[in-house]
Amino acid sequence: MTGNNLTERVAAQIAPLLPAHSSILIGLSGGVDSVVLLHLLHKLSTRFSWQLSALHVHHGISPNADAWSDFCADLCARLHISLHIERVDIAPLREHGIEAAARKLRHAAFADQSCDFVAVAHHADDQAETLLLQLLRGAGVRGASAMPQYTERADSVPLIRPLLHCSRQETLAYAAAHQLHWIEDESNADDIYPRNFLRHRVLPLLSEKFPAYRDTLARSAQHFAEASKLLDELALQDGVQAIHADTLDVAALQALSQTRAKNLLRYFLHSCGAPMPQALQLDDMLHQLRSARQDAAVCISYSDWQVRRYRGKVYALHALGEFDPNIVLPWHGEAELKWPALNTRLRFDRKQDANGKVLRSTSISLAKLQRAPVTLRVRHGGEALRPHPAAATRTLKNLLQEHLVPPWQRDRLPLLYCGEELVCVSGVAIAAEYQADGHEAAILLELRGARTGKS
């Protein structure tokens, strides 16, 4: 296939997915596949009015990492494409394996960039390798679905794989036809890594007997994807009255058969952004959630996540680490602040009703916050506030219990202070003295992922 044919084939597949004037961020490693993707989208960008930028993640693993960054910078400069180089530290994640750690850091780097779409250079050979790796790991139908060409992501912008239906040989032919240059990652030749072992030893042998294996494995991945969608639809039916934002009713798990309860739990975990447990872990998790006594403090840890049960509800959250109990964060009008105690972020949103009127008791008066410096702190005990103008002063301990705040969050919630006066406890109450009224400027303190700890 000529370079022009490949260009037109890719254009026909992705143009309907990417509206004119879309901003597209390209993942650029400097290898042949990402260089081909950059070159190809650059050719198409004028035709479809796309605005291109690129991201190179500098992992620092290879002694050649600096040279790779320089190569990507020179390439993008010649094409007049903006490049961001993100330097990451892989050391804290090495326990997950180098490949998994690098992938996690790349995803985090992409999530921090501003764009309409992220484009990556996975192709048909990558798809075949991924499917085989997932099957060899004992993945379920969701994992065996491998990679779709277009992915909507709840926590980030959509991801597109323009080369997914092209083979590695086609990308190499395109690079040769356009006299492109690229870098070679020396680790790609090391078959100690499972993917490289498949690429260099298994797949060449497989192709001798099954030359169309890329197409047949891609077809199998599509079958798995359809089966996964059906299981999700079943979980939606089973969970229609059981899943509330970021919690799952234990009663629903208890009422279903073992198989359907596992499917519902898997769906819930996936919707929370949690990794999928191993089969034995999932079985044990389901058993504990369904059989524990009503007042039991169930907490199942796996990977860097926790699944908890509290008052008949299941919660999935990132494992919460140590935090500074003496933390005091000043607020100077920022729209968002990081809140390390819950590994999440705080938003300061302006809130009004449909007529432009501030909703009393749900918003904080900005004018009243001018009385003294505003800070955020954690609970130390003995705090109290009056939640309504006609109400008596209540202890924070009672308010937290009344609002069913899970025990593991009570000492970590952000408390907003004006001077030494407690103004607001996120998601629980606003002191009557600071509640907004009428059309005055006001804010609402919102904790992102308040129940789950998702960031």
Side-chain angles (χ1 to χ4, degrees):
M1 177 174 289
T2 67
N4 187 58
N5 286 342
L6 180 63
T7 302
E8 294 307 315
R9 181 171 143 205
V10 169
Q13 291 175 347
I14 67 171
L17 303 173
L18 304 175
H21 307 292
S22 294
S23 58
I24 304 170
L25 177 68
I26 302 167
L28 181 63
S29 68
V32 61
D33 302 324
S34 66
V35 168
V36 166
L37 178 63
L38 185 80
H39 187 273
L40 193 152
L41 291 183
H42 181 256
K43 285 175 61 180
L44 295 175
S45 62
T46 302
R47 187 195 310 181
F48 296 107
S49 300
W50 293 331
Q51 299 168 18
L52 302 184
S53 61
L55 171 69
H56 175 76
V57 180
H58 185 301
H59 298 100
I61 302 172
S62 169
N64 301 311
D66 288 338
W68 297 347
S69 294
D70 293 342
F71 169 84
C72 292
D74 291 342
L75 175 61
C76 288
R78 289 198 303 272
L79 296 176
H80 305 289
I81 294 174
S82 172
L83 173 70
H84 175 72
I85 297 176
E86 181 80 8
R87 292 179 177 268
V88 298
D89 181 10
I90 201 171
L93 298 175
R94 275 187 178 270
E95 64 185 65
H96 302 291
I98 291 179
E99 287 181 294
R103 183 168 57 250
K104 187 169 184 176
L105 290 169
R106 282 196 301 274
H107 289 171
F110 281 126
D112 285 341
Q113 305 304 308
S114 177
C115 59
D116 297 323
F117 301 92
V118 168
V120 292
H122 296 135
H123 48 61
D125 291 72
D126 294 322
Q127 178 78 291
E129 293 162 8
T130 298
L131 175 58
L132 289 174
L133 284 171
Q134 291 288 67
L135 292 175
L136 290 169
R137 291 166 181 158
V141 291
R142 188 187 301 279
S145 301
M147 302 179 292
Q149 184 166 56
Y150 181 86
T151 306
E152 290 278 4
R153 300 184 294 173
D155 59 340
S156 189
V157 299
L159 185 145
I160 189 162
R161 299 177 173 91
L163 305 179
L164 193 61
H165 300 297
C166 311
S167 69
R168 179 176 286 112
Q169 193 57 44
E170 287 174 318
T171 62
L172 287 169
Y174 181 99
H178 291 85
Q179 299 182 329
L180 302 181
H181 299 281
W182 62 90
I183 58 174
E184 292 287 353
D185 184 343
E186 68 276 3
S187 70
N188 288 337
D190 188 351
D191 60 17
I192 191 173
Y193 298 110
R195 184 177 292 274
N196 289 346
F197 180 81
L198 287 178
R199 181 177 301 169
H200 298 305
R201 296 200 189 187
V202 176
L203 293 179
L205 186 62
L206 194 64
S207 66
E208 293 178 12
K209 186 69 175 177
F210 305 99
Y213 76 86
R214 296 175 187 83
D215 294 333
T216 54
L217 289 179
R219 194 157 60 245
S220 292
Q222 182 59 37
H223 293 327
F224 285 125
E226 292 174 0
S228 179
K229 185 176 180 181
L230 286 174
L231 289 175
D232 282 352
E233 291 177 0
L234 177 62
L236 276 171
Q237 293 178 22
D238 289 338
V240 66
Q241 300 295 331
I243 296 178
H244 310 281
D246 47 20
T247 65
L248 169 64
D249 291 343
V250 172
L253 296 177
Q254 293 171 330
L256 294 170
S257 68
Q258 175 80 1
T259 302
R260 286 177 70 161
K262 283 173 65 175
N263 183 58
L264 179 57
L265 181 56
R266 276 195 296 261
Y267 175 83
F268 172 70
L269 293 175
H270 181 73
S271 70
C272 290
M276 210 50 54
Q278 298 293 327
L280 290 177
Q281 288 178 316
L282 186 68
D283 287 339
D284 177 64
M285 184 184 297
L286 181 61
H287 173 73
Q288 291 193 53
L289 292 173
R290 295 210 296 184
S291 63
R293 68 181 189 274
Q294 188 65 28
D295 61 344
V298 176
C299 177
I300 304 110
S301 297
Y302 74 104
S303 186
D304 57 349
W305 278 71
Q306 292 177 340
V307 172
R308 292 177 177 265
R309 171 178 160 169
Y310 173 65
R311 287 185 172 267
K313 304 284 187 183
V314 180
Y315 297 78
L317 58 145
H318 284 288
L320 299 173
E322 296 296 324
F323 71 100
D324 181 3
N326 297 313
I327 184 171
V328 177
L329 289 182
W331 181 66
H332 301 296
E334 297 91 340
E336 190 172 87
L337 284 177
K338 185 175 181 180
W339 185 245
L342 281 171
N343 190 31
T344 186
R345 304 189 74 84
L346 283 164
R347 289 196 299 258
F348 298 82
D349 291 338
R350 295 184 180 272
K351 291 293 179 181
Q352 295 176 320
D353 65 15
N355 299 315
K357 188 175 182 180
V358 172
L359 301 177
R360 186 178 179 87
S361 82
T362 66
S363 299
I364 305 166
S365 166
L366 277 174
K368 293 172 184 175
L369 288 180
Q370 305 305 313
R371 299 171 180 172
V374 179
T375 56
L376 291 152
R377 314 174 195 176
V378 295
R379 174 187 176 207
H380 286 95
E383 297 87 355
L385 57 73
R386 189 162 57 96
H388 303 288
T393 298
R394 304 279 305 281
T395 66
L396 179 54
K397 178 179 179 180
N398 288 338
L399 287 170
L400 293 173
Q401 292 173 343
E402 181 181 298
H403 284 76
L404 305 181
V405 175
W408 59 88
Q409 287 193 357
R410 294 176 188 174
D411 291 336
R412 295 173 177 264
L413 283 178
L415 277 55
L416 187 73
Y417 279 82
C418 183
E420 294 305 313
E421 292 185 324
L422 177 58
V423 174
C424 171
V425 183
S426 176
V428 176
I430 299 171
E433 296 80 2
Y434 285 86
Q435 291 174 12
D437 196 7
H439 294 276
E440 66 178 312
I443 59 164
L444 176 62
L445 180 63
E446 293 186 330
L447 187 60
R448 186 178 179 186
R451 293 299 190 211
T452 65
K454 290 182 290 185
S455 56

